[in-house]
Amino acid sequence: MLPFESFTLKNGLRVIVHKDQSTPMVAMNIIYMVGSRDENPERTGFAHLFEHLMFGGSVNIPKYDEPLQKAGGENNAFTNNDFTNYYLTIPKNNLETAFWLESDRMLSLAFSEKSLEVQRQVVIEEFKQNYLNQPYGDVYLLLKPLAYQKHPYRWNTIGKDISHIEQAVMSDVKSFYKKYYNPDNAILSVAGDVDTKEILRLAEKWFGPIPSGITIQRNYTEEPHQGDLREITVERKVPQSAIYMAWHMPERAVPGFYKTDLISDVLSNGNSSRMYQNLIKKSKMFSDISAFVTGDLDKGLFIVSGKLLNGATKEDAEKLIFREIEQICDQLIKEDELKKVNNKIEANLLFSRMSILSKAMNLAYYEMLGSVSLINEEVDNYQRVSRKAMKEQATELFVESKPSILYYKAVNDY
Amino acid sequence: MQLDRSNIPPHGTPVHLAFEEPQREVLDNGLEVFLIDAGIENALRLDIVINAGSVFQDKKLTATSVGKLLKEGTNGYDSSKIAELIDNYGSYLDISVTKDTATITLYVLSKHLKKLIPLIGKMLHEATFPEEELKIHIDRKRQEFLVNSEKVRYKAMLEFNKLVFGESSAYGQILDYKDFDLIDRNDLLRFYKDNYHPENAYVVVSGKISDEIVPMLNTYIGATWQPNRNVILQVPGPGNIGIKEKYIEKPDAMQSAIRIGRPIFSKQHPDYNKFLLLNTVLGGYFGSRLMSNLREDKGCTYGVHSFVTNYKHAGFFSVSTEVKADATEIAMREIMFELSRLQTEKIDDDELNRVKSYIYGTFLRTFDGPFALAERFKSAKDIGEGFAFYKKSLDEILQVTAAELFETANKYLNPEEMITLVVGKVNNS
């Protein structure tokens, strides 16, 4: 059990507090419920570019970082398909500085042209550094538009194309801010040696005066069922060929998610897992193999990715992967296998509670999923899944619909 | 009253770094065990640190292969049985090998420690290094090496290490493709026999500590892992630095990786803390001079950082970045400019105090949670210190004056003494 207390301000800001007296630091996390799925298809990469602009000064504070550093704090942020997450840690004696900084950039930004111009360049370099100038860096730029044809998950958080980032203008920045950066679209969590009364006082003082936004209508085009196998092959100068297979799977907050996640664990979590033992150790046709779920709020992907070894062909690779997939569909997994993956989940949950920052992040995340109390129901959600339910889920995932396959072919001179 | 949003709220009284030193125990074989009792969750982290890093090897790849193969076979447990055991109890077993040490780290729920400790004991003195497992390991590592070699960042890291320490030094040796064909099982057996001994190691247990732990360690490690009185620990010597500039052309690269730096002292040196502060001002945090210049002003990089990298007996300073290919020259010029600026202008109080506060926060931050405490303790222990080292270090940093920083910059940051490496687009056309 992870203890917490929570309250909601009049303007709709949800606040969660967790007390941990073992450290002199406090962690603060803010989720804004906006991600790349909310973008205009002609202006992809915007939510992430916007995250950079959140550090370019707010209405009363010209620089975000300097006063935070003066207070001994450190911060960072990330953006994904569904939400944007800002976090910081600060010595507990300077906690009010964190409330001051975060509330000011929720109140209004400075909207500086210079900041927009520079951050466009910075994000373009980030695009190159992580996606283009990197072996296998463009895999998801290729795989996502193959697997999704309608839903906004078809583009990546970094953006579909560099030109989209180049074209971002200040009016886009302002309207995006106005629509999404409001207290009723945010979740604030605080973890550390703090008490809820004091957090309530600080939250009311700094965030209370910020007006709510207009209720956001969210309508994401549902991805149609995939009845046909789709595949593409690309040739790249890399040392090893690689294969990526993606199947559609249930959204994060339904029972099907837990069943699917357990299937991925049976296949590839840990060195005793089926794929590690059969594909890496026995067949020796893979140097790496992994099966994982994307965990998106809308229907996500179940992905198997592997790098090929010892002259294995695309056909060899597919055959080995499909054999494991078919086995999951045809036969009940063993009882001790289910027990093993559940032990792992239980332990992981505990290990994720060993620092205040990860606790603050998790609390806000579960509140976004629907309710912070879900954080203490996770283990049960997994343990409730039976072997039979997993087999049925596998059939739904792998038999009733078809995958998208990206074959990343090495053309090498090694 | 109107809320004042323009001024930073007053700071409270600073909290001080104060951590109890771990409780020290000695097992029957002389092995030291340090217990860090912290946290509320029923989870434990066990670290066994052995002086068996790559500086002690005669042939490249030996130290890492020995480390990684510890979980691929011991008397009584084959590779798949070890994997089953670790996964069944929801635990994680990591083995990391650096230049100085090999560390076996087990994360485990407290209730399962006793199931796994017999295996850990066997890994320390009854590992079998099966030929077949070595082959699988080497094949995978070779591929990983090839993939990494395509990354300008990785390539630059290896090359810079060689430039800074000289290839003849134990700290300067770097991997080459052919090394993967030269390693054999006998190298592993010899290295294991020579280096894996209790007098060459120590143990740290962190988390919720119970009375059962030390007797358990004594039964499965203290009573079985025999000391070897003949061990003599060599101290690796410095190599010769040859060239000071190297350019590796990658004509189709979109970005260039730049490294600029020099060898520097280890953590025990009297100027260490002053240099650490200087490094932070230059490129050690998000608001640093390099970051403000290259990223926030010119937008030619996603990030630029400077580092003080410490090994047990050596260290180096480096500035590291990947920049837009056609900004390679500008970036190099600006890095040199920022180095000289620290030598010609004294830092103002506002910036100095900001950096000090930031470092103060960083010190506190690295102690977040029981497992992080173990991490901090090991770093101190490796140079013969305990938690008190951090308090002393922080107190010293908070005392450094602008004049001292200026003097330190003039002693260690001369642009003409820097070693420069560029991987990527060198000749701008």
Side-chain angles (χ1 to χ4, degrees), chain B residues 3-232:
Chain B
L3 190 57
D4 175 13
R5 287 194 183 268
S6 301
N7 293 301
I8 187 166
H11 290 174
T13 322
V15 275
H16 290 286
L17 267 190
F19 296 100
E20 259 180 64
E21 295 294 336
Q23 184 190 332
R24 181 177 173 273
E25 301 279 345
V26 180
L27 303 187
D28 293 350
N29 58 356
L31 182 65
E32 282 184 299
V33 177
F34 297 91
L35 304 170
I36 301 174
D37 189 10
I40 47 169
E41 305 287 355
N42 285 311
L44 288 168
R45 168 178 170 160
L46 171 74
D47 289 286
I48 302 172
V49 183
I50 305 136
N51 293 313
S54 61
V55 293
F56 302 110
Q57 70 196 9
D58 296 325
K59 202 189 261 184
K60 288 182 223 173
L61 286 170
T62 310
T64 50
S65 303
V66 167
K68 297 296 175 187
L69 260 69
L70 294 178
K71 51 178 187 178
E72 302 301 337
T74 70
N75 287 341
Y77 298 90
D78 68 9
S79 167
S80 64
K81 202 163 162 192
I82 293 173
E84 276 296 332
L85 195 62
I86 297 295
D87 288 344
N88 277 341
Y89 291 105
S91 52
Y92 286 90
L93 180 62
D94 293 331
I95 298 169
S96 70
V97 179
T98 64
K99 289 186 188 291
D100 294 310
T101 57
T103 306
I104 301 170
T105 303
L106 177 72
Y107 296 94
V108 62
L109 301 187
S110 308
K111 60 184 175 187
H112 295 324
L113 180 66
K114 58 176 174 295
K115 306 282 193 221
L116 296 173
I117 251 322
L119 166 67
I120 303 291
K122 282 186 183 285
M123 286 168 51
L124 293 168
H125 58 97
E126 288 184 46
T128 51
F129 304 101
E131 192 84 58
E132 174 72 8
E133 299 294 342
L134 176 61
K135 189 179 174 308
I136 294 173
H137 171 71
I138 290 293
D139 282 348
R140 295 180 72 198
K141 284 290 144 184
R142 182 190 289 112
Q143 290 306 131
E144 194 183 297
F145 174 74
L146 287 174
V147 171
N148 282 333
S149 300
E150 289 296 304
K151 301 176 184 166
V152 288
R153 196 183 316 172
Y154 181 80
K155 192 121 190 108
M157 183 188 82
L158 289 189
E159 286 294 331
F160 195 71
N161 220 69
K162 190 164 80 177
L163 286 176
V164 165
F165 291 115
E167 214 173 347
S168 57
S169 146
Y171 282 115
Q173 51 176 319
I174 65 168
L175 271 181
D176 187 83
Y177 184 63
K178 66 177 189 312
D179 294 325
F180 292 89
D181 299 326
L182 300 176
I183 188 91
D184 75 59
R185 183 171 176 262
N186 288 324
D187 299 319
L188 273 61
L189 292 172
R190 199 176 315 118
F191 187 85
Y192 185 60
K193 186 163 168 277
D194 288 348
N195 295 283
Y196 281 67
H197 295 294
E199 51 275 84
N200 209 11
Y202 65 90
V203 177
V204 181
V205 189
S206 51
K208 223 172 174 180
I209 303 292
S210 74
D211 293 343
E212 297 172 336
I213 292 172
V214 172
M216 212 189 296
L217 290 172
N218 218 2
T219 307
Y220 292 101
I221 298 176
T224 53
W225 192 20
Q226 292 310 315
N228 177 343
R229 313 254 171 248
N230 302 322
V231 174
I232 305 160

Side-chain angles (χ1 to χ4, degrees), chain B residues 343-357:
Chain B
Q343 297 189 306
T344 50
E345 287 169 25
K346 270 189 204 158
I347 184 173
D348 66 41
D349 283 348
D350 190 59
E351 186 180 0
L352 181 61
N353 289 332
R354 173 155 47 91
V355 174
K356 284 181 179 176
S357 305

Side-chain angles (χ1 to χ4, degrees), chain B residues 271-285:
Chain B
D271 286 339
Y272 176 73
N273 289 318
K274 279 177 253 174
F275 193 80
L276 203 64
L277 179 60
L278 187 64
N279 175 68
T280 310
V281 172
L282 177 70
Y285 72 120

Side-chain angles (χ1 to χ4, degrees), chain A residues 300-349:
Chain A
L301 295 176
F302 179 98
I303 296 176
V304 176
S305 75
K307 290 206 176 81
L308 279 55
L309 202 60
N310 293 325
T313 63
K314 173 174 180 276
E315 290 68 34
D316 295 331
E318 283 180 0
K319 204 170 132 190
L320 285 163
I321 293 170
F322 277 127
R323 187 186 295 165
E324 297 299 329
I325 296 284
E326 278 158 20
Q327 194 136 47
I328 291 269
C329 299
D330 293 346
Q331 290 164 30
L332 286 180
I333 65 160
K334 284 182 273 167
E335 236 167 285
D336 52 359
E337 262 182 313
L338 182 59
K339 184 156 183 281
K340 176 176 78 178
V341 292
N342 268 318
N343 280 345
K344 230 163 183 159
I345 282 161
E346 187 193 349
N348 283 349
L349 264 130

Side-chain angles (χ1 to χ4, degrees), chain A residues 74 89 240 272 287 344 414, chain B residues 87 140 143 150 358 365:
Chain A
E74 183 157 67
T89 51
Q240 284 176 275
S272 73
S287 69
K344 230 163 183 159
Y414 295 93
Chain B
D87 288 344
R140 295 180 72 198
Q143 290 306 131
E150 289 296 304
Y358 171 79
R365 193 170 297 113

Side-chain angles (χ1 to χ4, degrees), chain A residues 216-253:
Chain A
I216 302 163
Q217 303 296 330
R218 296 173 200 268
N219 295 308
Y220 308 105
T221 317
E222 191 158 345
E223 186 61 26
H225 174 259
Q226 183 172 343
D228 299 319
L229 189 137
R230 296 176 200 148
E231 57 184 326
I232 48 169
T233 295
V234 295
E235 294 191 340
R236 292 287 187 271
K237 273 168 76 178
V238 290
Q240 284 176 275
S241 295
I243 191 163
Y244 302 85
M245 305 173 84
W247 286 265
H248 292 281
M249 64 165 279
E251 57 270 35
R252 180 62 181 79

